[in-house]
Amino acid sequence: MRTWVNDRGRSVGARWRSNWQWWWDRRLRIADWLYALGTLPLSLLLQVGVNGVFSGAIESGSAVLSRSGSVSAMIALLGLAVVLSVVPAFVAAAAILFRRTRPKWLLLIAVVLLAGFGNFVPASIAIYSYAVYFDNRRLLAAWFALLCLATGGGYGTNGLTYVIAVVFFLVVPVTAGLWIGTRRQLVERLHERAERLEREQHLMAEQALTTERTRIAREMHDVVAHRVSLMVLHAGGLEVSSEDARTVEAAGLIRTTGREALSELRGILGVLRDETTAAAPTAPQPVLADLDRLIGEWSTAGMVVRREETGRVRPLASGVERTAYRIVQEGLTNAAKHAPGAEVAVRLHHGPRQVEVEVANEPAPAPTVPMPQSGFGLTGLHERVVLAGGSLSAGVCPDGGWRMRAILPTDGRPDRDAE
């Protein structure tokens, strides 16, 4: 039940974020439509009622009808009144939709309607929008002066009436527009600064990462590669100088294993030192098909390894096979270090949607001196398994042995191009 509730909550949250992002991306266009449609009734009222075009047209039509009895003349006068009153209001509403992209059209229409009809709605929206979205203060002052002259034409030059009209219809909108426009520019600059700082932080982090990768590569080369090369050199000398066949075979195995370790280490160093766009090494990585060779190497070294494989064997993703191989490799290495001489069992079970890998060793036949431990083998292996979407468990068995078991999901789909 809790899982279902959590899933539903995440689904609702994702839908809410998606819808909110959709509205946020279109907020300015929605505001344009709200300004255009929301102010249209007031604009029509100013065009029709306050200006009195309809009443004048009706009175003139009545006079014409009483003198000549022509109904068509009266209808023509009423039609002319509709054209002079209603159409300009709709034209102004259409121009409001382009207030952020083509402000000059709205300003010109606002001057005409304010001077000829006393309609202050387009003028207020036009001067406010220009102050918000454009930073040319000289043109803003010029348009403001032109609208002030148009106010005198629409409301007369009476001192008190003119001042009230200019203050409420022009000064207040342009002041609000300047404040909002300045704040908008400040927020945009702060956003740009934050994005720039974030980019610089990412660049610094990448530079630090590159420096650290180079340092790790240098340390691995100076310490690990040097000592492995020394081991391979001594093994080669022992293989040449020894007369005992078993010693020669063991020295040859040590030399071959050391060379393979150097080859893998060289690939890792190539990735760590990759400071350019060069591709990472594309040498084939070990997969489940290489388990026989791995087990054969340990068997040659004297370890008793028993392999069991059940289930329907099928092609798996290369990442899954590589992880399974590393699990077996780590298990055999740990068994050789902590329980030399003990029998080791390697079990693989291929399920319909997962593969199970288990490496178990019996208790050591005799007490041994513990070898130095790095403490990172199981930790790194656990991280690798988790990245593959699986789980890993390891611990002591009741008989004193050790068992490591991993479950790797396969989803029943072969995918050789997983990585």
Side-chain angles (χ1 to χ4, degrees):
M1 181 64 181
R2 181 179 300 177
T3 303
W4 183 86
V5 172
N6 292 335
D7 292 341
R8 298 287 79 74
R10 284 192 292 268
S11 176
V12 172
R15 185 174 302 176
W16 166 259
R17 287 190 296 270
S18 176
N19 292 336
W20 172 254
Q21 187 64 37
W22 187 91
W23 285 103
W24 181 257
D25 293 339
R26 294 161 177 80
R27 67 189 187 283
L28 296 178
R29 175 52 58 184
I30 294 174
D32 294 339
W33 281 97
L34 290 178
Y35 275 116
L37 299 179
T39 59
L40 182 59
L42 178 59
S43 183
L44 286 173
L45 179 63
L46 292 174
Q47 290 288 120
V48 177
V50 176
N51 197 294
V53 175
F54 268 126
S55 59
I58 292 176
E59 291 178 1
S60 301
S62 299
V64 171
L65 183 63
S66 60
R67 289 196 305 267
S68 61
S70 176
V71 179
S72 60
M74 183 177 180
I75 294 176
L77 287 175
L78 292 178
L80 180 62
V82 170
V83 171
L84 293 177
S85 300
V86 178
V87 173
F90 281 96
V91 172
I96 291 176
L97 296 176
F98 303 95
R99 64 192 181 98
R100 294 180 294 108
T101 56
R102 296 180 177 86
K104 295 181 181 180
W105 292 106
L106 179 58
L107 287 166
L108 289 174
I109 294 173
V111 170
V112 174
L113 294 186
L114 184 59
F117 299 89
N119 187 355
F120 63 87
V121 174
S124 299
I125 296 177
I127 199 67
Y128 164 80
S129 301
Y130 197 88
V132 170
Y133 297 104
F134 300 92
D135 54 358
N136 192 331
R137 298 298 181 240
R138 293 183 178 179
L139 282 178
L140 178 63
W143 283 111
F144 182 81
L146 186 59
L147 289 173
C148 288
L149 295 176
T151 303
Y155 289 89
T157 57
N158 187 353
L160 182 61
T161 303
Y162 178 77
V163 170
I164 292 175
V166 169
V167 169
F168 282 97
F169 302 154
L170 298 179
V171 174
V172 173
V174 78
T175 303
L178 288 173
W179 182 80
I180 295 176
T182 304
R183 181 179 179 276
R184 177 172 168 270
Q185 292 178 0
L186 177 61
V187 171
E188 289 180 352
R189 291 175 181 175
L190 290 176
H191 278 299
E192 292 177 358
R193 182 181 179 184
E195 292 176 356
R196 185 175 65 254
L197 291 176
E198 186 176 359
R199 288 194 298 268
E200 293 177 356
Q201 185 177 6
H202 282 304
L203 290 176
M204 293 176 62
E206 291 178 359
Q207 184 178 3
L209 179 62
T210 302
T211 304
E212 184 66 15
R213 283 158 59 112
T214 305
R215 187 189 67 81
I216 293 174
R218 187 183 303 115
E219 292 294 330
M220 291 180 65
H221 178 270
D222 294 342
V223 178
V224 181
H226 171 72
R227 296 191 180 277
V228 174
S229 299
L230 188 61
M231 179 188 69
V232 172
L233 181 63
H234 282 289
L238 181 62
E239 184 180 9
V240 173
S241 61
S242 178
E243 297 180 356
D244 183 46
R246 296 186 61 185
T247 303
V248 171
E249 185 178 1
L253 177 61
I254 294 173
R255 181 175 57 83
T256 303
T257 304
R259 288 184 181 278
E260 291 180 356
L262 283 176
S263 178
E264 293 185 2
L265 182 60
R266 188 177 299 110
I268 296 174
L269 292 177
V271 174
L272 289 176
R273 290 183 179 273
D274 185 18
E275 301 177 3
T276 62
T277 57
T282 56
Q285 298 294 318
V287 291
L288 289 179
D290 300 314
L291 280 182
D292 292 333
R293 180 178 59 84
L294 177 65
I295 294 175
E297 292 174 353
W298 285 106
S299 300
T300 304
M303 179 182 290
V304 180
V305 184
R306 185 178 73 256
R307 176 179 177 181
E308 300 176 5
E309 192 165 3
T310 59
R312 185 172 63 87
V313 180
R314 64 186 184 280
L316 301 176
S318 58
V320 174
E321 292 198 5
R322 190 177 309 128
T323 302
Y325 178 91
R326 295 302 183 189
I327 293 170
V328 175
Q329 186 182 47
E330 181 68 17
L332 294 177
T333 303
N334 290 338
K337 290 170 58 177
H338 304 292
E343 182 179 350
V344 183
V346 177
R347 302 183 181 91
L348 279 82
H349 175 69
H350 297 267
R353 307 188 72 84
Q354 64 186 20
V355 59
E356 300 178 14
V357 184
E358 180 179 310
V359 181
N361 60 270
E362 297 178 353
T368 58
V369 179
M371 297 183 63
Q373 303 181 44
S374 64
F376 297 103
L378 285 178
T379 302
L381 193 61
H382 181 267
E383 292 176 353
R384 180 189 289 268
V385 172
V386 171
L387 287 176
S391 60
L392 176 69
S393 60
V396 181
C397 298
D399 59 355
W402 183 269
R403 188 187 71 167
M404 182 169 59
R405 182 171 180 266
I407 300 177
L408 303 174
T410 61
D411 294 334
R413 297 191 305 268
D415 182 11
R416 289 293 177 179
D417 298 325
E419 293 186 11

Coordinates of all heavy atoms in Angstrom, one line a residue, residues 227-295:
R227 N 56.2 -2.1 -9.3 CA 56.4 -3.4 -8.6 C 55.9 -4.6 -9.4 O 56.5 -5.7 -9.3 CB 55.6 -3.3 -7.2 CG 56.2 -2.2 -6.4 CD 55.7 -2.2 -4.9 NE 56.3 -1.2 -4.1 CZ 57.4 -1.2 -3.5 NH1 58.2 -2.3 -3.7 NH2 57.9 -0.3 -2.8
V228 N 54.8 -4.4 -10.1 CA 54.4 -5.6 -11.0 C 55.4 -5.9 -12.0 O 55.7 -7.0 -12.3 CB 53.0 -5.3 -11.6 CG1 52.6 -6.3 -12.6 CG2 51.9 -5.1 -10.5
S229 N 56.0 -4.8 -12.6 CA 57.0 -5.1 -13.6 C 58.2 -5.8 -13.0 O 58.8 -6.7 -13.6 CB 57.5 -3.7 -14.2 OG 56.4 -3.1 -14.8
L230 N 58.6 -5.4 -11.8 CA 59.7 -6.0 -11.1 C 59.3 -7.5 -10.8 O 60.2 -8.4 -11.0 CB 59.9 -5.3 -9.7 CG 61.2 -5.7 -9.0 CD1 62.4 -5.5 -9.8 CD2 61.3 -5.0 -7.6
M231 N 58.1 -7.8 -10.4 CA 57.7 -9.2 -10.2 C 57.8 -10.0 -11.5 O 58.2 -11.1 -11.5 CB 56.2 -9.2 -9.7 CG 55.7 -10.6 -9.4 SD 53.9 -10.5 -9.0 CE 53.2 -10.0 -10.6
V232 N 57.3 -9.4 -12.6 CA 57.4 -10.1 -13.9 C 58.8 -10.4 -14.3 O 59.2 -11.4 -14.8 CB 56.6 -9.3 -15.0 CG1 56.9 -9.9 -16.4 CG2 55.1 -9.2 -14.7
L233 N 59.7 -9.4 -14.0 CA 61.1 -9.6 -14.3 C 61.7 -10.7 -13.5 O 62.4 -11.6 -14.1 CB 61.8 -8.2 -14.1 CG 63.3 -8.2 -14.4 CD1 63.6 -8.5 -15.9 CD2 63.9 -6.9 -14.0
H234 N 61.5 -10.7 -12.2 CA 62.0 -11.8 -11.4 C 61.4 -13.2 -11.8 O 62.2 -14.2 -11.8 CB 61.7 -11.5 -9.9 CG 62.7 -10.5 -9.4 ND1 64.0 -10.7 -9.1 CD2 62.5 -9.2 -9.0 CE1 64.6 -9.7 -8.6 NE2 63.7 -8.7 -8.5
A235 N 60.1 -13.2 -12.1 CA 59.5 -14.5 -12.5 C 60.2 -15.0 -13.8 O 60.4 -16.2 -14.0 CB 58.0 -14.3 -12.7
G236 N 60.4 -14.0 -14.8 CA 61.1 -14.5 -16.0 C 62.5 -15.0 -15.7 O 62.9 -16.0 -16.4
G237 N 63.2 -14.3 -14.8 CA 64.6 -14.8 -14.5 C 64.5 -16.2 -13.9 O 65.4 -17.1 -14.1
L238 N 63.5 -16.4 -13.0 CA 63.4 -17.7 -12.3 C 63.0 -18.8 -13.3 O 63.5 -19.9 -13.2 CB 62.3 -17.6 -11.2 CG 62.1 -18.9 -10.4 CD1 63.3 -19.3 -9.6 CD2 60.9 -18.6 -9.4
E239 N 62.2 -18.4 -14.3 CA 61.8 -19.4 -15.3 C 62.9 -19.9 -16.1 O 63.0 -21.0 -16.5 CB 60.7 -18.8 -16.2 CG 60.1 -19.8 -17.2 CD 59.0 -19.1 -18.0 OE1 58.9 -17.9 -17.9 OE2 58.4 -19.8 -18.8
V240 N 63.9 -18.9 -16.4 CA 65.0 -19.3 -17.2 C 66.1 -20.0 -16.4 O 66.7 -21.0 -16.9 CB 65.6 -18.0 -17.8 CG1 66.9 -18.3 -18.6 CG2 64.6 -17.3 -18.8
S241 N 66.3 -19.6 -15.2 CA 67.4 -20.2 -14.4 C 67.1 -21.5 -13.7 O 68.0 -22.3 -13.4 CB 68.0 -19.2 -13.4 OG 66.9 -18.8 -12.5
S242 N 65.8 -21.7 -13.4 CA 65.4 -22.9 -12.6 C 65.5 -24.2 -13.4 O 65.2 -24.1 -14.7 CB 64.1 -22.7 -12.0 OG 63.7 -23.8 -11.2
E243 N 65.8 -25.3 -12.8 CA 65.9 -26.6 -13.5 C 64.7 -27.5 -13.1 O 64.4 -28.5 -13.7 CB 67.2 -27.3 -13.1 CG 68.4 -26.6 -13.6 CD 69.7 -27.3 -13.3 OE1 69.6 -28.4 -12.6 OE2 70.8 -26.9 -13.7
D244 N 63.9 -27.1 -12.0 CA 62.8 -27.8 -11.6 C 61.6 -27.5 -12.5 O 61.3 -26.3 -12.7 CB 62.5 -27.5 -10.1 CG 61.3 -28.4 -9.6 OD1 61.3 -29.6 -9.9 OD2 60.4 -27.8 -9.0
A245 N 60.9 -28.5 -13.0 CA 59.8 -28.3 -14.0 C 58.7 -27.6 -13.3 O 58.0 -26.7 -13.9 CB 59.4 -29.7 -14.5
R246 N 58.3 -28.0 -12.1 CA 57.2 -27.3 -11.4 C 57.5 -25.8 -11.1 O 56.7 -25.0 -11.2 CB 56.9 -28.0 -10.1 CG 56.4 -29.5 -10.3 CD 55.9 -30.1 -9.0 NE 54.8 -29.3 -8.4 CZ 54.3 -29.6 -7.2 NH1 54.8 -30.6 -6.5 NH2 53.3 -28.9 -6.7
T247 N 58.8 -25.6 -10.8 CA 59.2 -24.2 -10.5 C 59.1 -23.4 -11.8 O 58.6 -22.2 -11.8 CB 60.6 -24.1 -9.9 OG1 60.6 -24.9 -8.7 CG2 61.0 -22.7 -9.6
V248 N 59.6 -24.0 -12.9 CA 59.5 -23.3 -14.2 C 58.1 -23.0 -14.6 O 57.7 -21.9 -15.1 CB 60.2 -24.1 -15.2 CG1 60.0 -23.5 -16.6 CG2 61.7 -24.2 -15.0
E249 N 57.1 -24.0 -14.3 CA 55.7 -23.8 -14.7 C 55.1 -22.7 -13.8 O 54.4 -21.8 -14.3 CB 55.0 -25.1 -14.5 CG 53.5 -25.0 -14.9 CD 52.8 -26.4 -14.7 OE1 53.5 -27.3 -14.3 OE2 51.6 -26.4 -15.1
A250 N 55.4 -22.7 -12.5 CA 54.9 -21.6 -11.6 C 55.4 -20.3 -12.0 O 54.7 -19.3 -12.0 CB 55.2 -22.0 -10.2
A251 N 56.7 -20.2 -12.3 CA 57.3 -18.9 -12.7 C 56.7 -18.4 -14.0 O 56.4 -17.2 -14.2 CB 58.8 -19.1 -12.8
G252 N 56.4 -19.3 -14.9 CA 55.8 -18.9 -16.2 C 54.4 -18.4 -16.0 O 54.0 -17.4 -16.6
L253 N 53.6 -19.0 -15.0 CA 52.3 -18.5 -14.7 C 52.4 -17.1 -14.1 O 51.6 -16.3 -14.4 CB 51.6 -19.5 -13.8 CG 50.2 -19.1 -13.3 CD1 49.3 -19.0 -14.5 CD2 49.7 -20.1 -12.3
I254 N 53.3 -17.0 -13.2 CA 53.5 -15.7 -12.5 C 53.8 -14.6 -13.6 O 53.3 -13.5 -13.6 CB 54.6 -15.7 -11.4 CG1 54.1 -16.6 -10.3 CG2 54.9 -14.3 -10.9 CD1 55.2 -16.9 -9.3
R255 N 54.7 -14.9 -14.5 CA 55.1 -13.9 -15.5 C 53.9 -13.6 -16.4 O 53.7 -12.4 -16.7 CB 56.3 -14.5 -16.3 CG 56.8 -13.6 -17.4 CD 58.0 -14.2 -18.1 NE 57.7 -15.5 -18.7 CZ 57.1 -15.7 -19.8 NH1 56.8 -14.6 -20.6 NH2 56.9 -16.9 -20.3
T256 N 53.2 -14.6 -16.8 CA 52.0 -14.4 -17.7 C 50.9 -13.5 -17.0 O 50.4 -12.6 -17.6 CB 51.4 -15.7 -18.2 OG1 52.4 -16.5 -18.8 CG2 50.3 -15.4 -19.1
T257 N 50.7 -13.9 -15.7 CA 49.7 -13.1 -15.0 C 50.1 -11.7 -14.8 O 49.3 -10.8 -14.9 CB 49.4 -13.8 -13.6 OG1 49.0 -15.2 -13.8 CG2 48.3 -13.1 -12.9
G258 N 51.4 -11.5 -14.5 CA 51.9 -10.2 -14.3 C 51.8 -9.3 -15.5 O 51.5 -8.1 -15.5
R259 N 52.1 -9.9 -16.7 CA 52.0 -9.2 -17.9 C 50.5 -8.8 -18.2 O 50.2 -7.7 -18.7 CB 52.5 -10.0 -19.1 CG 54.0 -10.2 -19.1 CD 54.5 -10.9 -20.3 NE 56.0 -11.1 -20.2 CZ 56.9 -10.1 -20.6 NH1 56.4 -9.0 -21.1 NH2 58.2 -10.4 -20.6
E260 N 49.6 -9.7 -17.9 CA 48.1 -9.4 -18.1 C 47.7 -8.2 -17.2 O 47.0 -7.3 -17.6 CB 47.3 -10.6 -17.9 CG 47.5 -11.7 -19.0 CD 46.6 -12.9 -18.7 OE1 45.9 -12.9 -17.7 OE2 46.6 -13.8 -19.6
A261 N 48.3 -8.3 -15.9 CA 47.9 -7.2 -15.0 C 48.5 -5.9 -15.5 O 47.8 -4.8 -15.4 CB 48.5 -7.5 -13.6
L262 N 49.7 -5.9 -16.1 CA 50.3 -4.7 -16.6 C 49.4 -4.2 -17.8 O 49.3 -3.0 -18.0 CB 51.7 -4.9 -17.1 CG 52.8 -5.0 -15.9 CD1 54.1 -5.4 -16.5 CD2 52.8 -3.7 -15.2
S263 N 48.9 -5.1 -18.6 CA 48.1 -4.7 -19.8 C 46.8 -4.0 -19.3 O 46.4 -3.0 -19.8 CB 47.8 -5.9 -20.6 OG 47.0 -5.6 -21.7
E264 N 46.2 -4.6 -18.3 CA 44.9 -4.0 -17.8 C 45.2 -2.7 -17.1 O 44.5 -1.7 -17.2 CB 44.3 -5.0 -16.8 CG 43.7 -6.3 -17.4 CD 42.9 -7.1 -16.5 OE1 42.8 -6.7 -15.3 OE2 42.5 -8.2 -16.8
L265 N 46.4 -2.7 -16.4 CA 46.7 -1.4 -15.7 C 47.0 -0.3 -16.7 O 46.7 0.9 -16.5 CB 48.0 -1.7 -14.8 CG 48.5 -0.5 -14.0 CD1 47.4 0.0 -13.0 CD2 49.7 -0.8 -13.2
R266 N 47.6 -0.7 -17.8 CA 47.9 0.3 -18.9 C 46.6 0.9 -19.4 O 46.5 2.1 -19.7 CB 48.7 -0.3 -20.0 CG 49.2 0.7 -21.0 CD 50.0 0.0 -22.1 NE 51.2 -0.6 -21.5 CZ 51.4 -1.9 -21.4 NH1 50.5 -2.8 -21.9 NH2 52.5 -2.4 -20.9
G267 N 45.6 0.0 -19.6 CA 44.2 0.5 -20.0 C 43.6 1.5 -19.0 O 43.1 2.5 -19.4
I268 N 43.7 1.1 -17.7 CA 43.2 2.0 -16.7 C 43.9 3.3 -16.7 O 43.3 4.4 -16.6 CB 43.3 1.3 -15.3 CG1 42.4 0.1 -15.3 CG2 42.9 2.3 -14.2 CD1 42.6 -0.8 -14.0
L269 N 45.2 3.3 -16.8 CA 46.0 4.5 -16.8 C 45.6 5.4 -18.1 O 45.6 6.6 -18.0 CB 47.5 4.2 -16.9 CG 48.1 3.6 -15.6 CD1 49.6 3.3 -15.8 CD2 47.9 4.5 -14.4
G270 N 45.3 4.7 -19.2 CA 44.9 5.5 -20.4 C 43.6 6.2 -20.1 O 43.4 7.3 -20.6
V271 N 42.7 5.6 -19.4 CA 41.4 6.3 -19.1 C 41.6 7.4 -18.1 O 41.1 8.5 -18.3 CB 40.4 5.3 -18.5 CG1 39.1 6.0 -18.0 CG2 40.0 4.2 -19.5
L272 N 42.5 7.2 -17.1 CA 42.7 8.2 -16.1 C 43.4 9.4 -16.7 O 43.2 10.6 -16.3 CB 43.5 7.7 -15.0 CG 42.8 6.7 -14.0 CD1 43.7 6.1 -13.0 CD2 41.6 7.4 -13.4
R273 N 44.3 9.2 -17.7 CA 45.1 10.3 -18.3 C 44.4 10.9 -19.5 O 44.9 11.7 -20.2 CB 46.4 9.8 -18.7 CG 47.4 9.5 -17.6 CD 48.7 9.0 -18.1 NE 49.6 8.8 -17.0 CZ 50.4 9.7 -16.4 NH1 50.3 10.9 -16.8 NH2 51.2 9.3 -15.4
D274 N 43.1 10.5 -19.7 CA 42.4 11.0 -20.9 C 42.0 12.4 -20.7 O 40.9 12.7 -20.2 CB 41.2 10.1 -21.2 CG 40.5 10.5 -22.5 OD1 41.1 11.2 -23.3 OD2 39.3 10.1 -22.6
E275 N 42.8 13.4 -20.9 CA 42.5 14.8 -20.7 C 41.9 15.5 -22.0 O 41.6 16.6 -21.9 CB 43.7 15.5 -20.3 CG 44.3 15.0 -19.0 CD 45.6 15.6 -18.6 OE1 46.0 16.6 -19.3 OE2 46.3 15.2 -17.6
T276 N 41.9 14.8 -23.1 CA 41.4 15.3 -24.3 C 40.2 14.5 -24.7 O 39.6 13.8 -23.9 CB 42.5 15.2 -25.4 OG1 42.8 13.8 -25.7 CG2 43.7 15.9 -25.0
T277 N 39.7 14.7 -25.9 CA 38.5 14.0 -26.4 C 38.9 12.6 -27.0 O 38.0 12.0 -27.6 CB 37.9 14.8 -27.5 OG1 38.8 15.1 -28.5 CG2 37.4 16.2 -26.9
A278 N 40.1 12.1 -26.7 CA 40.4 10.8 -27.2 C 39.5 9.8 -26.6 O 39.2 9.8 -25.4 CB 41.9 10.5 -26.9
A279 N 39.2 8.7 -27.4 CA 38.3 7.7 -26.9 C 39.1 6.8 -25.9 O 40.3 6.7 -25.9 CB 37.8 6.9 -28.0
A280 N 38.4 6.2 -25.0 CA 39.0 5.3 -24.0 C 39.4 4.0 -24.8 O 39.0 3.7 -25.9 CB 38.0 4.9 -22.9
P281 N 40.4 3.2 -24.2 CA 40.8 2.0 -24.8 C 39.7 1.1 -25.1 O 38.8 0.9 -24.3 CB 41.8 1.4 -23.8 CG 42.2 2.6 -22.9 CD 41.1 3.5 -22.9
T282 N 39.7 0.5 -26.2 CA 38.6 -0.4 -26.7 C 39.0 -1.9 -26.7 O 38.5 -2.7 -27.4 CB 38.1 0.0 -28.1 OG1 39.3 0.0 -29.0 CG2 37.6 1.4 -28.1
A283 N 40.0 -2.2 -25.9 CA 40.4 -3.6 -25.8 C 39.3 -4.5 -25.2 O 38.6 -4.0 -24.4 CB 41.7 -3.8 -25.0
P284 N 39.1 -5.7 -25.7 CA 38.0 -6.5 -25.2 C 38.2 -6.8 -23.7 O 39.3 -7.1 -23.2 CB 38.2 -7.8 -26.0 CG 39.6 -7.8 -26.5 CD 40.0 -6.4 -26.7
Q285 N 37.1 -6.6 -23.0 CA 37.1 -6.9 -21.5 C 36.6 -8.3 -21.3 O 35.9 -8.9 -22.1 CB 36.1 -5.9 -20.9 CG 36.5 -4.4 -21.0 CD 37.8 -4.1 -20.3 OE1 38.0 -4.6 -19.2 NE2 38.7 -3.4 -21.0
P286 N 37.1 -8.9 -20.1 CA 36.7 -10.3 -19.8 C 35.2 -10.5 -19.6 O 34.6 -9.6 -19.0 CB 37.5 -10.6 -18.6 CG 37.8 -9.3 -18.0 CD 37.9 -8.3 -19.1
V287 N 34.7 -11.6 -20.1 CA 33.3 -11.9 -19.9 C 33.2 -13.3 -19.4 O 34.2 -14.0 -19.0 CB 32.5 -11.8 -21.2 CG1 32.4 -10.3 -21.6 CG2 33.2 -12.5 -22.4
L288 N 32.0 -13.9 -19.3 CA 31.8 -15.2 -18.8 C 32.5 -16.3 -19.6 O 32.9 -17.3 -19.1 CB 30.3 -15.5 -18.7 CG 29.5 -14.8 -17.6 CD1 28.0 -15.2 -17.7 CD2 30.1 -15.0 -16.3
A289 N 32.7 -16.0 -20.9 CA 33.4 -17.0 -21.7 C 34.9 -17.2 -21.3 O 35.5 -18.2 -21.6 CB 33.4 -16.6 -23.2
D290 N 35.4 -16.2 -20.5 CA 36.8 -16.3 -20.0 C 36.9 -16.9 -18.7 O 38.0 -17.0 -18.1 CB 37.4 -14.9 -20.0 CG 37.4 -14.2 -21.4 OD1 37.8 -14.8 -22.3 OD2 37.0 -13.0 -21.4
L291 N 35.8 -17.4 -18.1 CA 35.9 -18.0 -16.8 C 36.7 -19.3 -16.8 O 37.5 -19.6 -15.8 CB 34.5 -18.4 -16.3 CG 33.7 -17.2 -15.6 CD1 32.4 -17.7 -15.1 CD2 34.5 -16.6 -14.5
D292 N 36.6 -20.1 -17.9 CA 37.4 -21.3 -18.0 C 38.9 -21.0 -17.9 O 39.7 -21.7 -17.2 CB 37.1 -22.1 -19.3 CG 35.7 -22.6 -19.2 OD1 35.2 -22.9 -18.1 OD2 35.1 -22.8 -20.3
R293 N 39.3 -20.0 -18.6 CA 40.7 -19.6 -18.5 C 41.1 -19.1 -17.1 O 42.2 -19.5 -16.6 CB 41.0 -18.5 -19.5 CG 42.5 -18.0 -19.6 CD 42.7 -16.9 -20.6 NE 41.8 -15.8 -20.4 CZ 42.1 -14.8 -19.5 NH1 43.3 -14.8 -18.9 NH2 41.3 -13.8 -19.4
L294 N 40.2 -18.3 -16.5 CA 40.5 -17.9 -15.1 C 40.6 -19.0 -14.2 O 41.6 -19.1 -13.4 CB 39.4 -16.9 -14.7 CG 39.5 -16.3 -13.3 CD1 40.8 -15.5 -13.1 CD2 38.3 -15.5 -12.9
I295 N 39.7 -19.9 -14.2 CA 39.7 -21.1 -13.3 C 40.9 -22.0 -13.6 O 41.5 -22.5 -12.7 CB 38.4 -21.9 -13.4 CG1 37.2 -21.0 -12.9 CG2 38.4 -23.2 -12.6 CD1 35.9 -21.6 -13.1

